Amino acid sequence: MDIAGRLAVVTGGGSGMGRELVVQLAARGCAVATCDVHGAELAETVALACKGAPGMRVTGHLCNVADEAQVDRFRDEVLEDHDREHVNLLFNNAGVSGGYSFVAEDRSDWDRTFAICWGGVYNCSRAFIPLLVASDAGYIVNTSSVNGFWAALGPDVPHSAYSTAKFAVKGFSESLITDLRVNAPHVKVAVVMPGHIGTGIMGNSRRILANADAETSADGPGELDDLVRRASEGFQAHAPVSAREAATHILDAVQDDAWRILVGDDARMLDEAVRSDPLAVYGPDGLALRSIWSG
Ligand SMILES: NC(=O)c1ccc[n+]([C@@H]2O[C@H](COP(=O)([O-])OP(=O)(O)OC[C@H]3O[C@@H](n4cnc5c(N)ncnc54)[C@H](O)[C@@H]3O)[C@@H](O)[C@H]2O)c1
């Protein structure tokens, strides 16, 4: 799809790949409406995008994608603020990492992680797919993960809620290929499966999951506990691919009409390993990927 001259919606635009998608979409001549639960970061993204693409319309909206009423309000704001009756691109990007063990942990992080990573994609797709269908050319781009085809972080590290949600995102996206071809052939779908990307996901996730009562916040980041802050900095510093590189890769693939977008050599290696020996990936000696995840 030619991105220039379109209107894109990006969820989770306050940080990481979402922020880079907003900035780069605007730079490619696309109007953007983005949402996040963190208002200060959202405003920063809008300012960055406007600075890089003067004159391009970029709007920020406080919205928790796990809440259907907020998503519907976000959709209405987008149409009003951009004075349109359709949108062309929907990037279901917002996500948090959490809910590691179904067995050993209390259920609150599991349920919230699933509600954001799957429920957010569901709510936004319900709200915006009719508007993609109403356009002359549409594209829905759903961010899954390598955890959408491999449900662990290593032989001893479960990743239960996140993987369950990301498998759902991948399955939903693949189911839309036929659905859209039959019912709305002018709308395309892509599933994005990044490996380790240098973003603030560890710290942001902790902030969101630890603050279960605060739906959205206009405040800047609060203090993270020292351990989480250091782990988050390490995750970002040791990533083989930056958020900027990941967003460029995703947008180039969308311009090429791709439907399956792996981001990073680690993602490609994992994909190959799972396909070549699916029975071996979860054993105690299963995928020796700790080196990749720990940098
Ligand atoms: N970073 C990685 O290594 C990696 C790997 C695979 C997949 N992903 C996926 O990529 C996507 C982007 O993550 P990122 O790494 O850029 O993380 P990030 O934390 O930098 O950005 C995610 C953004 O989503 C926002 N968000 C979280 N919950 C939300 C909600 N309920 N409503 C609205 N906004 C919300 C956060 O505030 C944040 O601004 C996520 O879906 C993530 O699961 C990331």
Side-chain angles (χ1 to χ4, degrees), residues 12-18 35-38 63-66 93-96 116-117 143-146 162 166 194-197 199-201 204 208 235 293:
S15 170
M17 284 182 267
C35 78
D36 208 285
V37 287
H38 294 143
C63 168
N64 172 6
V65 295
N93 162 81
V96 292
I116 294 169
C117 290
T143 298
S144 174
S145 163
V146 292
Y162 186 82
K166 294 299 188 181
H196 180 178
I197 312 296
T199 73
I201 190 167
N204 288 331
I208 288 166
F235 182 85
W293 287 96

Side-chain angles (χ1 to χ4, degrees), residues 108 140 142 164 225:
S108 62
I140 171 169
N142 296 323
T164 307
D225 121 355

Side-chain angles (χ1 to χ4, degrees), residues 13-125:
S15 170
M17 284 182 267
R19 168 173 285 177
E20 286 296 332
L21 284 170
V22 173
V23 169
Q24 294 185 32
L25 279 161
R28 292 182 190 211
C30 187
V32 192
T34 184
C35 78
D36 208 285
V37 287
H38 294 143
E41 289 85 341
L42 191 59
E44 211 174 301
T45 297
V46 172
L48 279 170
C50 292
K51 191 170 168 214
M56 194 55 59
R57 182 125 185 85
V58 181
T59 58
H61 308 257
L62 266 183
C63 168
N64 172 6
V65 295
D67 180 325
E68 190 171 8
Q70 291 191 36
V71 169
D72 288 350
R73 193 184 64 210
F74 170 43
R75 173 202 55 206
D76 295 345
E77 288 172 10
V78 172
L79 295 181
E80 195 175 324
D81 288 2
H82 288 261
D83 198 19
R84 309 245 185 137
E85 287 174 359
H86 66 267
V87 303
N88 298 103
L89 296 120
L90 168 63
F91 291 85
N92 274 319
N93 162 81
V96 292
S97 172
Y100 291 92
S101 172
F102 189 87
V103 180
E105 288 170 15
D106 122 341
R107 64 182 281 173
S108 62
D109 276 8
W110 204 103
D111 290 2
R112 268 179 68 78
T113 301
F114 190 74
I116 294 169
C117 290
W118 164 246
V121 172
Y122 177 80
N123 289 335
C124 292
S125 300

Side-chain angles (χ1 to χ4, degrees), residues 187-248:
V187 181
K188 295 187 165 58
V189 57
V191 58
V192 179
M193 293 169 288
H196 180 178
I197 312 296
T199 73
I201 190 167
M202 284 187 81
N204 288 331
S205 301
R206 211 52 254 147
R207 234 175 114 196
I208 288 166
L209 294 177
N211 194 18
D213 296 332
E215 290 303 312
T216 53
S217 151
D219 301 333
E223 279 302 300
L224 284 173
D225 121 355
D226 219 37
L227 201 66
V228 177
R229 190 180 46 74
R230 268 184 288 139
S232 179
E233 284 168 4
F235 182 85
Q236 198 150 356
H238 292 124
V241 177
S242 70
R244 180 165 305 168
E245 290 164 337
T248 303

